[in-house]
Amino acid sequence: MKYRNAILFVVLAAVWGSAFTAIRAGLEYFPPVLFAALRYDLAGVIMFGYAAYATDRWRPRGREEWIVVAIGGVFLIAAYHAFLFVGEQGTTSAAAAVVVSLSPVLTTGFARLLLPEERLTTLGLVGLAIGFVGVAVLSNPDPDNLATTRTISLGLVFLATVSFALGSVLTRRVEENLPIETMEAWSMCLGALLMHGLSVGLGEPIRSVEWTGEGLIALAYLSLVASAAGFLIYFDLLDRLGPIEINLVSYAAPFAAAVTGVVFLSETPTVFTGVGFGLICCGFVLIKREAIREELGGMRSASVSGD
């Protein structure tokens, strides 16, 4: 199919962007960390089934592979989603999605810091700084009262993004050949277990859950569509497009979050949301300018050879 990759890219951006709206909607009925844990209880089981079907290794082997699973479970699943779900209680879906779109910028920054073969140029450092300025503009803090609910919430979403970016880089420091589907499955289950423990520690009783139709729809959407189906599309596109192009999903997702937030939750994005998003995009372009140039050159060469 000629436009298969483009269609799947749009679907993935819509699914992952609307997930922020589903989180915001479900928080009306679930305690935040328990909500995140339940999401990955279901998604982990589904991903286990897919890993057993699609790969020749459904279980990690050796110390390095278990370390990668542990990093994924702690940083990519547990820390990221605990911070994100708690943070989304006090901000809009679009604002949360914009902060999370900083992830490729932070990932590159951590890679330059932690991976010896990587190094940020002066322009790269400027791009990193611009990305942080974008988050500051989005937060629009009141100098006389920095501890507002919205500022704290966006700070927690920022910590979620830091957790995800750091986890992504740490997994690259470990030499292993574990299939990504298997790693995701085990990490999801480990992350869910950790979040259940955190939920208990925070005093989130299961009896506080309101088992409404709306809450169950939000949970099902996040587990089955955003997590299970979303990651399957992601794996397919990662193989076909590579990491540079697939990173652009982070920059398309806020549009889906903004639209679904307006339609389903009557949220209204502010000017600061748009300006912050623009600055984060500029930071990404400056940091990844060489990779983007190579990608565009490869696309032009493919187009010419196709002619």
Side-chain angles (χ1 to χ4, degrees):
M1 184 177 178
K2 184 177 180 180
Y3 301 106
R4 178 183 184 278
N5 290 347
I7 292 172
L8 287 179
F9 183 93
V10 172
V11 170
L12 182 60
V15 165
W16 279 2
S18 58
F20 291 94
T21 303
I23 292 170
R24 189 75 179 84
L27 288 171
E28 296 291 327
Y29 311 101
F30 294 89
V33 179
L34 178 59
F35 187 22
L38 291 172
R39 170 186 181 177
Y40 280 98
D41 286 338
L42 299 174
V45 170
I46 294 171
M47 190 57 67
F48 253 124
Y50 180 74
Y53 166 77
T55 72
D56 57 355
R57 286 207 294 129
W58 66 272
R59 186 174 66 85
R61 300 171 187 163
R63 178 173 174 270
E64 288 78 12
E65 293 186 354
W66 284 110
I67 288 175
V68 169
V69 167
I71 292 171
V74 171
F75 291 98
L76 303 181
I77 303 299
Y80 171 68
H81 289 91
F83 281 128
L84 176 63
F85 277 55
V86 174
E88 269 216 57
Q89 292 179 110
T91 188
T92 64
S93 308
V98 169
V99 174
V100 171
S101 72
L102 186 65
S103 179
V105 177
L106 289 175
T107 299
T108 303
F110 279 128
R112 301 301 193 258
L113 181 65
L114 298 175
L115 300 178
E117 71 275 11
E118 309 259 8
R119 183 179 301 171
L120 269 180
T121 63
T122 301
L123 269 180
L125 289 170
V126 171
L128 189 62
I130 289 175
F132 284 120
V133 171
V135 173
V137 170
L138 170 66
S139 302
N140 187 29
D142 179 359
D144 297 324
N145 184 16
L146 295 177
T148 63
T149 299
R150 185 172 186 275
T151 302
I152 292 173
S153 293
L154 288 173
L156 291 172
V157 176
F158 176 73
L159 288 177
T161 309
V162 170
S163 300
F164 191 90
L166 179 59
S168 298
V169 173
L170 289 176
T171 59
R172 290 166 54 186
R173 288 177 61 93
V174 182
E175 294 293 333
E176 48 77 35
N177 296 306
L178 185 65
I180 192 170
E181 296 89 344
T182 303
M183 188 274 283
E184 287 284 353
W186 282 90
S187 294
M188 284 179 179
C189 291
L190 173 60
L193 182 62
L194 292 173
M195 286 189 289
H196 276 296
L198 179 60
S199 176
V200 172
L202 292 173
E204 294 182 344
I206 190 70
R207 63 177 179 276
S208 65
V209 174
E210 298 180 36
W211 299 102
T212 64
E214 292 85 353
L216 291 174
I217 289 173
L219 178 60
Y221 184 83
L222 289 169
S223 302
L224 304 177
V225 181
S227 295
F231 274 110
L232 294 183
I233 295 174
Y234 172 82
F235 294 143
D236 181 72
L237 289 178
L238 180 64
D239 182 57
R240 292 171 178 273
L241 302 180
I244 300 301
E245 286 190 59
I246 200 64
N247 262 341
L248 297 178
V249 170
S250 298
Y251 297 95
F255 293 102
V259 171
T260 53
V262 169
V263 172
F264 294 104
L265 301 178
S266 300
E267 296 178 337
T268 304
T270 67
V271 173
F272 296 102
T273 302
V275 174
F277 178 64
L279 289 170
I280 291 172
C281 287
C282 289
F284 173 79
V285 171
L286 284 176
I287 287 177
K288 306 296 288 186
R289 63 194 182 284
E290 296 296 335
I292 292 172
R293 186 181 298 118
E294 292 177 7
E295 195 73 27
L296 291 175
M299 292 171 64
R300 282 195 294 267
S301 298
S303 176
V304 171
S305 63
D307 293 341

